Amino acid sequence: MSQDSSGRIVAGVREWITSASPGARVPSNRALMAEYGASPVTVQKAMQQLVRLGLVESRPGAGTFVRSARAPRSVDYGWQTAALGTAPAGLVGLSSTQRTVAPDAIGMHSGYPAVDLLPGRLVRQALVRAARSDAALTRSPAAGLPELQAWFAGELASAAPVGITPASARDALIISGSQSGLSSIFRAVVGVGQPLLIESPTYWGALLAAAQAGVTLVPVSSGAHGPDPEDVERAFAQTGARAFYAQPTFANPTGAHWPPATREAVLETVRRHGAFLIEDDWAHDLGIDADPRPIAASDDDGHVVYLRSLTKSASPALRVAAVIARGPARDRILADRAAESMYVSGLLQAAALDVVTQPAWRTHLRGFREHLRARRDLLIASLATHAPSAHVESVPAGGLNLWVRLPDGTDVLQVVRECEVRGLIIAPGSEWFPAEPSGAYVRLNYANADPSHFAEAAAILGAVLEES
Ligand SMILES: Cc1ncc(COP(=O)(O)O)c(C=O)c1O
C-alpha cells in the first residue's frame, strides 16, 4: 500500500513540477498526506525519492523546493597540462581505424568485419545460455575457464606435426582481446628498454603496445612473403634482441603469408638465439585461399608465444582471445594479466566456448571465407576499373584488408582527407610503419562496408588520385 501511494505522490509532484518555477515551494507534507490519503512515512519516502532524482531539494527548517537548474559552468582543465607533463609515447589520440564515422559514409578504415558477416544467431543464443548458467555470477580463474583453455590448446595441438608435444590447456591463458595480450607479452617477455624485432609494416596496435611497454623497436622489412630470414638473423645478431613480433599468417596490413621455408628458417633462428617468436595469429579464421598453419604448432620448447583471437570471427563484443605460452614465460604473462585485470568475464568466456563448440561454427567459418573472397575480389576489380593508379601489390590470401600502393610522391594524408570529404573513409598507411613509411600506402578494409558501394568507393579514390 505505502509503496503504491509513495509512487503516486512521486508521479503527482513530478507532474506539478513541470509547470512550477525553479525554487517554488513544494506543497507541505501535511498537504500531500491529505491529498493522497497517505501516512507521514509514505510522504517522507516519496520526498526522499524526489530528492534522489534531483528534482527537489530540502532545506531543513524551511521546507522542500523545486530544484533550480544549474547553469553550465565553463570548465578549465588547463591545470592538467602541468600535472600530466608530456604524453608518453603512443598515448596521443586514437588510430584512424578506431574512428566513428557518419552512417552514410563508406567506411573502409575499420579493422573488424561487418555485423552481417558474423554468426549473430549463434552468438545471441550462446549469450542467453551463458546468462542462465553459473558463469553469470561467478569469478573466472585468472588463467580462464578450463574448458575454453582446453579448446584453444586443442585447436593448436591439432596442427602439431608428429613428434611435437602439443601445448596443454594450462598453457592457454584466456585474455580480453589479443590487444591486451600484446601489451602483457611485451611487458612480461621483452621488458622496458629491451630491443624487440618487429616487421615493417606491421599492426599499428602492436606498435602502440610496444611504445607503452617501453620496449625499443627494431624494424625488419617485410613484404608479401614476409621478411627475408637472413634479415631476421642479422637483426638478432646485431641487437642481441630476445624476441620478434610477427604475423606469419595473412598479416595486417599487407596480407603477407609466409611460405614454409620462411616459417622454418625463422623458427630455427629464434631457437639459435635463445629468443622468442611472438606469433600473432590474428587472422586464424580469416583464410581465403589458404589455411592457417601456426608456427607455434611446431614448437614445444616454449620459443613461440602464440596469440589467437575470436573477436573478428565470432564477435568483437565477446572480446575473447588466448595467448599460448610455455614455461616461465607463461607464468610471467599470467602474472601480468592478473595485475592488469585479474580475470576475464566468465560470462563472455562461457558464451565464446559455446559458440566455437557448436556444429554451426564450422558452417559459419566456411560461409565467412566465401564472403571474404567475394568482397576481396570485388574491391580489387573495382580498383582496377575506377582507380587504376592505386596498385594492389599482392592479393591477400586471407584477412580483411587490401594494402594499396599509391603513385610515388602522393601526399597520402591529403588523399585520405579529400576522400573523406567525398564520403569515403580510408586509413593512411603511415600508421602501420614503425619508422618512416617505405612508400605511399593506404589500407582498405573490404569486410566492413556494403559491397554495393565498392565501385563508388573506388571511383572516389580514383578521382582524388587523378586530381592530386
Ligand atoms: C594483427 C592484429 N593483432 C591484434 C589485433 C587485436 O585484436 P583483438 O584485440 O580484437 O583481439 C588486431 C586487430 O585488428 C590485429 O590486426
Side-chain angles (χ1 to χ4, degrees):
M1 150 81 185
S2 83
Q3 195 62 20
D4 281 356
S5 314
S6 122
R8 278 195 296 119
I9 299 170
V10 170
V13 175
R14 281 186 95 147
E15 198 181 329
W16 171 81
I17 285 174
T18 55
S19 54
S21 349
R25 198 172 207 285
V26 177
S28 70
N29 286 11
R30 189 180 294 275
L32 291 170
M33 280 161 57
E35 186 177 343
Y36 291 92
S39 70
V41 175
T42 305
V43 171
Q44 219 173 342
K45 255 192 192 165
M47 283 302 142
Q48 283 163 354
Q49 170 71 358
L50 288 160
V51 170
R52 274 197 298 274
L53 290 170
L55 298 172
V56 302
E57 58 194 350
S58 129
R59 296 183 205 145
T64 305
F65 300 85
V66 176
R67 200 152 172 217
S68 24
R70 299 234 154 88
R73 191 171 69 83
S74 73
V75 288
D76 178 7
Y77 300 128
W79 65 270
Q80 292 194 359
T81 309
L84 291 172
T86 50
L91 282 193
V92 193
L94 293 177
S95 154
S96 64
T97 64
Q98 292 178 300
R99 297 180 44 203
T100 313
V101 297
D104 55 345
I106 308 174
M108 292 194 159
H109 61 300
S110 145
Y112 290 82
V115 168
D116 59 345
L117 295 186
L118 298 175
R121 188 200 288 235
L122 258 185
V123 171
R124 286 180 213 282
Q125 288 174 344
L127 282 166
V128 169
R129 281 192 285 267
R132 290 204 197 105
S133 75
D134 287 348
L137 294 169
T138 48
R139 182 167 62 87
S140 156
L145 294 189
E147 300 84 351
L148 187 57
Q149 291 180 277
W151 182 84
F152 277 112
E155 183 190 61
L156 186 59
S158 68
V162 181
I164 292 290
T165 308
S168 70
R170 183 180 175 279
D171 301 325
L173 309 174
I174 308 303
I175 53 177
S176 178
S178 48
Q179 182 64 34
S180 66
L182 288 173
S183 297
S184 287
I185 295 166
F186 295 161
R187 276 194 299 261
V189 173
V190 185
V192 179
Q194 297 304 313
L196 169 69
L197 307 191
I198 196 155
E199 290 171 287
S200 176
T202 192
Y203 168 49
W204 61 262
L207 299 175
L208 197 64
Q212 222 189 336
V215 308
T216 305
L217 293 180
V218 180
V220 177
S221 174
S222 192
H225 304 293
D228 180 337
E230 283 181 14
D231 288 349
V232 178
E233 170 65 41
R234 205 172 309 116
F236 269 118
Q238 281 174 355
T239 63
R242 289 302 167 92
F244 177 26
Y245 166 78
Q247 302 171 60
T249 308
F250 320 135
N252 172 10
T254 57
H257 190 56
W258 297 8
T262 304
R263 290 165 185 265
E264 281 154 30
V266 169
L267 181 54
E268 195 38 50
T269 299
V270 293
R271 283 185 174 141
R272 210 173 24 256
H273 287 272
F276 292 98
L277 172 67
I278 301 165
E279 179 181 19
D280 186 347
D281 196 12
W282 75 287
H284 188 88
D285 297 325
L286 313 177
I288 300 174
D289 301 329
D291 290 317
R293 295 197 295 115
I295 297 178
S298 303
D299 165 60
D300 52 11
D301 294 327
H303 281 287
V304 184
V305 175
Y306 177 73
L307 264 170
R308 153 93 165 100
S309 177
L310 294 173
T311 64
K312 299 190 174 63
S313 52
S315 164
L318 290 180
R319 205 86 201 103
V320 166
V323 45
I324 301 185
R326 306 199 194 191
R330 176 251 179 219
D331 300 341
R332 285 202 190 182
I333 295 166
L334 177 58
D336 185 277
R337 293 310 309 149
E340 165 89 15
S341 58
M342 281 172 67
Y343 58 89
V344 177
S345 155
L347 181 76
L348 298 179
Q349 292 185 66
L353 177 66
D354 187 322
V355 168
V356 296
T357 51
Q358 297 292 332
W361 172 244
R362 294 267 134 222
T363 318
H364 157 65
L365 290 182
R366 280 194 294 276
F368 197 30
R369 173 180 284 237
E370 291 319 313
H371 282 296
L372 291 180
R373 185 196 309 286
R375 283 167 165 262
R376 177 198 65 182
D377 294 348
L378 179 61
L379 186 55
I380 291 174
S382 305
L383 289 172
T385 309
H386 301 288
S389 64
H391 179 50
V392 178
E393 285 183 331
S394 88
V395 176
L400 307 173
N401 311 296
L402 294 185
W403 185 235
V404 178
R405 182 151 194 169
L406 307 183
D408 287 344
T410 304
D411 180 341
V412 177
L413 293 180
Q414 176 61 26
V415 166
V416 169
R417 273 194 299 270
E418 194 50 45
C419 284
E420 176 160 359
V421 169
R422 301 179 195 196
L424 169 65
I425 317 296
I426 56 178
S430 49
E431 292 186 15
W432 281 265
F433 285 95
E436 290 80 3
S438 60
Y441 289 94
V442 288
R443 196 195 73 166
L444 307 185
N445 173 316
Y446 49 78
N448 201 291
D450 183 339
S452 68
H453 294 141
F454 282 8
E456 184 188 346
I460 292 174
L461 179 60
V464 169
L465 287 175
E466 210 157 288
E467 289 163 28
S468 74

